[in-house]
Amino acid sequence: MTDEGNRKREESLRVFSHAASIYDRIGPGIFSHFGQRLVDIAEIAAGANVLDVAAGRGALLFPAAAKVGSNGHVTGIDFSPDMVRETAKDIESRKLRHAEIRQMDAEQMTFSDASFDRVLCGFALWMFAEPARVLQEFYRVLRRSGRVALSTWAADNPFQVWCYEVLRPYVPAPASSGLTPKDDPKFDTPLQIKTALQRAGFADIQITVDEKEFVYASEEQYWQSLWSAGIRRQLEKMTPAVLEKAKSDVFQKLQTVKRPDGFHKLNRALFAVGTKTA
């Protein structure tokens, strides 16, 4: 793996370990909403054996567990031990005997070939140091006729476009380019996703677009929600003084989306499903 790949892995591990306790727990449940939608699209049968890669706090794992029922099984994996620990506590509190989560590297999974009926991956593909290798692993661990189902943010996702435009002036150089990396694939267009899945061997690829408007109760809730997701990595690069300026600017510009019930932000996601035919 390249030095850049190692840097990317270590940064992701640090950021998501720090965010683990509050991940998808502040503000509207964005990941939970799109997680349920992706599970529905994956058409998971009762009794199926499902793998959830980069499981986080279970946005896919828990609805998938409901689909497979007690005769099936859902295994979640995540690179962050803190995320695994938090989600394991959630699984235990729900008394789910047919679900588990393990710490594991998605690029080197220890599962046997043809172990799963479905492989799920929500909003994580672009974060891996070697996405192509991860997709090959998805293909390897799937049974014949098994399906992969993944989600990414659309290139024109209004939430991210707005947020990046507001924060870009405050991210120190050269990291400012990190808000919208040019070299790393974001898999944020149907063509990029379809091409990547085809190269990994998948066929019958179907891509759909889904969007939903989410409401934040206050400016502070919106700001805190940023710290509970991947964009936290950009906030951590700011000095305290710059961070305060950025926060003030975010609060001011949020007024343009204020309505009587709160602050409205639209999110647009891409869902892709592919089948292992060989």
Side-chain angles (χ1 to χ4, degrees):
M1 182 178 296
T2 65
D3 290 341
E4 177 60 22
N6 283 322
R7 183 205 63 77
K8 189 175 180 180
R9 283 162 58 95
E10 291 305 312
E11 183 179 58
S12 291
L13 177 60
R14 175 182 56 79
V15 168
F16 288 102
S17 292
H18 288 169
S21 64
I22 58 174
Y23 190 75
D24 201 29
R25 296 299 186 272
I26 298 176
I30 295 175
F31 294 112
S32 298
H33 167 79
F34 286 117
Q36 181 66 65
R37 293 285 295 117
L38 185 61
V39 166
D40 291 341
I41 289 172
E43 297 182 348
I44 300 171
N49 195 18
V50 177
L51 174 63
D52 178 15
V53 178
R57 293 298 303 274
L60 296 171
L61 186 149
F62 292 113
K67 290 281 188 180
V68 303
S70 58
N71 291 327
H73 192 83
V74 179
T75 302
I77 65 169
D78 201 280
F79 193 45
S80 164
D82 297 274
M83 203 74 81
V84 169
R85 183 177 61 252
E86 293 293 336
T87 303
K89 290 190 293 188
D90 294 338
I91 292 172
E92 180 63 27
S93 68
R94 299 187 188 201
K95 302 186 185 304
L96 293 178
R97 299 293 176 257
H98 60 291
E100 62 175 314
I101 187 166
R102 311 178 193 177
Q103 183 184 4
M104 192 179 296
D105 186 345
E107 294 173 13
Q108 302 179 56
M109 294 193 287
T110 58
F111 303 113
S112 301
D113 295 356
S115 296
F116 299 96
D117 301 297
R118 295 288 186 275
V119 172
L120 312 176
C121 183
F123 300 114
L125 185 59
W126 66 89
M127 296 181 190
F128 298 118
E130 299 184 48
R133 183 172 179 177
V134 172
L135 289 174
Q136 290 168 359
E137 280 290 273
F138 291 178
Y139 192 89
R140 179 183 68 79
V141 302
L142 272 171
R143 294 167 181 155
R144 187 176 184 190
S145 299
R147 306 176 81 188
V148 62
L150 58 87
S151 57
T152 70
W153 295 119
D156 59 351
N157 177 21
F159 176 96
Q160 287 184 311
V161 171
W162 183 90
C163 191
Y164 290 164
E165 288 177 349
V166 173
L167 292 179
R168 184 178 291 109
Y170 301 98
V171 180
S176 58
S177 61
L179 276 170
T180 53
K182 301 299 182 184
D183 298 329
D184 293 341
K186 297 303 256 182
F187 306 102
D188 54 6
T189 67
L191 179 59
Q192 283 187 348
I193 301 172
K194 184 175 183 178
T195 300
L197 287 173
Q198 286 176 331
R199 287 175 177 171
F202 291 101
D204 301 326
I205 298 165
Q206 303 171 32
I207 299 175
T208 56
V209 181
D210 190 67
E211 63 182 34
K212 179 178 171 60
E213 193 169 71
F214 295 89
V215 181
Y216 294 83
S218 65
E219 299 96 326
E220 186 64 35
Q221 185 185 71
Y222 176 85
W223 179 254
Q224 291 303 320
S225 73
L226 299 182
W227 288 90
S228 70
I231 202 168
R232 178 189 182 113
R233 75 184 67 210
Q234 304 303 334
L235 302 177
E236 289 181 347
K237 294 172 182 175
M238 301 178 193
T239 65
V242 171
L243 194 61
E244 279 303 310
K245 291 181 180 179
K247 182 178 180 180
S248 177
D249 199 12
V250 168
F251 277 31
Q252 179 181 351
K253 292 181 178 177
L254 275 173
Q255 304 312 309
T256 62
V257 295
K258 185 177 182 179
R259 299 182 190 174
D261 60 339
F263 299 84
H264 288 236
K265 300 299 293 183
L266 181 68
N267 269 287
R268 183 173 298 123
L270 301 177
F271 295 143
V273 177
T275 303
K276 178 176 181 177
T277 56

